[in-house]
Amino acid sequence: MSEPLEGIGVLRLALEAGEVSALELVEAARAREDAVGTRVQALLHPRWEAARNEAVASDQRRAAGGVRSALDGIPIVLKDNIVQREEPATCASKILEGYRSPFSATAVERLTDAGAIVVSRANMDEFAMGSSTENSVRGPSRNPWDLERAPGGSSGGSAAAVASGIVPAAFGSDTGGSIRQPAAFCGVVGMKPTYGRVSRWGLVAFASSLDQIGPFARTAADCATLLDVVSGHDPRDSTSLPEPALHTSAALDGDVSGLVIGIPKQTLALEGLAPGVRDRVGEAVAELERAGAKTREISLPNMQYGIAAYYLICTAEASSNLARFDGVRYGLRVEGPEGGITPMYEYTRSAGFGDEVKRRILLGTYALSAGYYDAYYRKAQQVRTLLRQDFAAAFEACDVIATPTTPEAAFRIGEKTADPLAMYLADVFTVSANLAGLPGVSVPCGFDAGLPVGLQILGPSLEDARVMKVADAYQRRTDYHEQRPGL
């Protein structure tokens, strides 16, 4: 069986030393996918031949002294809702089968300009709607630590591809925790930037005021390298912050002395929090205290309303965003037997969308309908404002906030599919950061019954480097990120 690929930092040094070529890295990724891919089911639409050609070009640049960046020659995968020119972009949905994008997302342009090599797209919950990567037209991805368990969602394919060693890095999207939650389940690092730090141009929209592109890798340092490349203002995205590209890597010095970590009293007292998760997170915070950080109890009094507010806002935005998939312009078209445009809309959407997508469209349309807008959608937005105020007050007393990433370790595939509310509660610790637009990272902090547990670090808006600094400092003192699943 082929060996898993190491992290970006290790591979970059090997490339610089001439110990390996970019072409050999692509071939190694292909060999690893051949060895474990049918069991993990992380990838969709591989592009191995194109990746080989790009690797050859990277090796030629290196030989000529023209290396573009630390990512030059590094293989990565993209979640199937981040478009790349002339490549499939199906969002793991039947309604977009056969669609190829005529352009690349800004994040993808910046990655390929830096020399990174996209080897495949990654499986996901259809249109990023889910917490388990079970809602895919291609079937579920599986957790490399236990193939009977979910890798998390909706970016589960990206997280599983990194955890299983197919690639050293991947990109996903985070609307309510869809990077951080699968990172926790799969024992890798996943980072959600401040809203607007990374352009959403070319990200197929789920909930436009919540969506954010972010990286997966084995270490916080590798995530910082990826984030620095894709961040920065983009005039094509009206929500892009007028800020320069980040230089997060420069902040990773391992020093957290004097830094104050806020511990929300509402999180560790949450009903349903697994004891093993609570213990591992407590041990992680204690490790940061030994490194010189201080802790302080804080309160986020409106956090309990986050899930309800999130699922009203995200479904309302989804019902608007997904109206474009109508069988007219692209993707699937199913004509009704009676003819006419309205039956075509109905038959196309009925055949093309999966159950979870239909459920969320119906919920969102209901919340926005006349007579219910004020009672539901407006109230959810008011809660969103209260959450932002809670975080602003909390960050006056602390520098970062630490919580579990998820209330439990990875659950079994099929365990929660019959109970959508139980599935939605898997995001209880992550949705608030999206509602408030804050940066957050999940870092491996141990195991519960052999399954990875994630520590979530949240920071104030624009303090992406601060949360990565804390995650990196923790990883310098622990080795959980070095442990591998026994595939």
Side-chain angles (χ1 to χ4, degrees):
M1 183 183 296
S2 68
E3 293 299 313
L5 284 178
E6 295 295 333
I8 292 174
V10 174
L11 297 180
R12 177 178 61 81
L13 293 175
L15 285 166
E16 290 174 354
E19 297 169 357
V20 70
S21 68
L23 180 59
E24 288 171 331
L25 292 183
V26 169
E27 297 289 2
R30 174 66 183 272
R32 185 65 175 169
E33 163 64 9
D34 289 344
V36 304
T38 57
R39 289 181 286 160
V40 177
Q41 300 177 35
L43 302 188
L44 300 177
H45 318 304
R47 55 189 301 275
W48 297 116
E49 194 56 42
R52 287 189 187 96
N53 294 336
E54 292 164 14
V56 169
S58 174
D59 289 331
Q60 291 172 344
R61 286 194 300 273
R62 191 172 297 277
V67 175
R68 293 177 178 175
S69 78
L71 295 182
D72 205 335
I74 300 294
I76 64 171
V77 300
L78 302 172
K79 188 176 180 179
D80 196 32
N81 62 347
I82 306 171
V83 304
Q84 184 176 14
R85 181 180 175 84
E86 299 180 355
E87 297 293 336
T90 67
C91 296
S93 177
K94 183 177 180 181
I95 207 164
L96 278 174
E97 280 189 348
Y99 175 73
R100 289 181 178 268
S101 176
F103 70 100
S104 287
T106 298
V108 177
E109 289 179 345
R110 291 175 178 174
L111 286 165
T112 54
D113 287 348
I117 300 169
V118 179
V119 300
S120 181
R121 311 189 66 72
N123 199 16
M124 59 182 283
D125 282 307
E126 183 182 6
F127 283 101
M129 298 183 188
S131 302
S132 62
T133 311
E134 292 175 272
N135 303 318
S136 168
V137 72
R138 296 292 186 89
S141 293
R142 297 180 178 274
N143 193 315
W145 291 91
D146 181 343
L147 296 175
E148 299 302 313
R149 296 181 183 268
S154 61
S155 306
S158 296
V162 175
S164 59
I166 298 171
V167 287
F171 277 82
S173 65
D174 192 311
T175 306
S178 289
I179 290 173
R180 290 160 290 154
Q181 189 243 32
F185 277 13
C186 292
V188 298
V189 179
M191 200 275 174
K192 173 218 169 297
T194 296
Y195 183 80
R197 276 291 199 192
V198 177
S199 173
R200 292 186 302 108
W201 176 264
L203 173 66
V204 179
F206 165 15
S208 302
S209 73
L210 302 166
D211 298 338
Q212 191 64 87
I213 293 173
F216 291 92
R218 294 196 179 280
T219 66
D222 285 352
C223 273
T225 299
L226 295 160
L227 184 61
D228 291 350
V229 169
V230 300
S231 62
H233 181 246
D234 177 15
R236 295 176 293 187
D237 174 7
S238 63
T239 63
S240 177
L241 295 172
E243 297 280 339
L246 287 163
H247 296 286
T248 313
S249 298
L252 306 186
D253 58 8
D255 183 11
V256 293
S257 55
L259 181 138
V260 179
I261 302 172
I263 310 297
K265 62 183 180 181
Q266 292 83 2
T267 59
L268 297 183
L270 181 77
E271 183 179 352
L273 178 62
V277 172
R278 181 187 292 111
D279 292 345
R280 297 296 87 73
V281 170
E283 291 162 5
V285 171
E287 187 64 49
L288 287 167
E289 286 184 297
R290 286 190 287 273
K294 302 176 182 178
T295 59
R296 177 175 296 169
E297 183 177 85
I298 60 168
S299 180
L300 297 173
N302 293 292
M303 185 177 179
Q304 61 181 313
Y305 307 119
I307 283 284
Y310 169 77
Y311 276 100
L312 282 166
I313 292 169
C314 78
T315 56
E317 295 187 16
S319 74
S320 176
N321 280 325
L322 270 64
R324 72 193 71 181
F325 302 105
D326 53 14
V328 175
R329 286 159 288 190
Y330 38 69
L332 179 73
R333 175 183 294 194
V334 181
E335 301 285 357
E338 61 270 37
I341 191 165
T342 299
M344 184 199 67
Y345 286 168
E346 293 172 350
Y347 280 93
T348 296
R349 290 167 175 165
S350 178
F353 288 138
D355 289 345
E356 182 62 26
V357 174
K358 292 174 184 176
R359 180 183 294 117
R360 297 197 189 195
I361 290 173
L362 289 170
L363 284 169
T365 303
Y366 180 83
L368 291 174
S369 61
Y372 297 101
Y373 178 91
D374 287 336
Y376 294 106
Y377 184 73
R378 185 186 296 276
K379 285 293 184 185
Q381 292 289 13
Q382 290 171 339
V383 170
R384 186 178 196 172
T385 298
L386 292 175
L387 279 168
R388 287 174 171 164
Q389 292 171 351
D390 287 350
F391 276 113
F395 284 123
E396 290 181 0
C398 64
D399 298 302
V400 297
I401 294 172
T403 75
T405 308
T406 60
E408 61 181 344
F411 47 80
R412 293 187 181 279
I413 290 173
E415 181 178 330
K416 299 182 185 293
T417 51
D419 187 353
L421 292 179
M423 183 76 79
Y424 295 167
L425 288 173
D427 300 329
V428 65
F429 293 126
T430 55
V431 296
S432 295
N434 297 80
L435 290 167
L438 305 178
V441 62
S442 178
V443 59
C445 67
F447 297 86
D448 182 19
L451 297 170
V453 173
L455 166 70
Q456 179 178 230
I457 303 294
L458 302 176
S461 181
L462 302 181
E463 293 294 343
D464 305 70
R466 185 186 300 174
V467 299
M468 297 306 288
K469 176 188 178 81
V470 176
D472 173 68
Y474 176 73
Q475 288 194 300
R476 291 178 186 226
R477 299 176 65 88
T478 59
D479 65 355
Y480 299 119
H481 59 285
E482 296 176 359
Q483 300 185 39
R484 302 287 185 265
L487 282 173

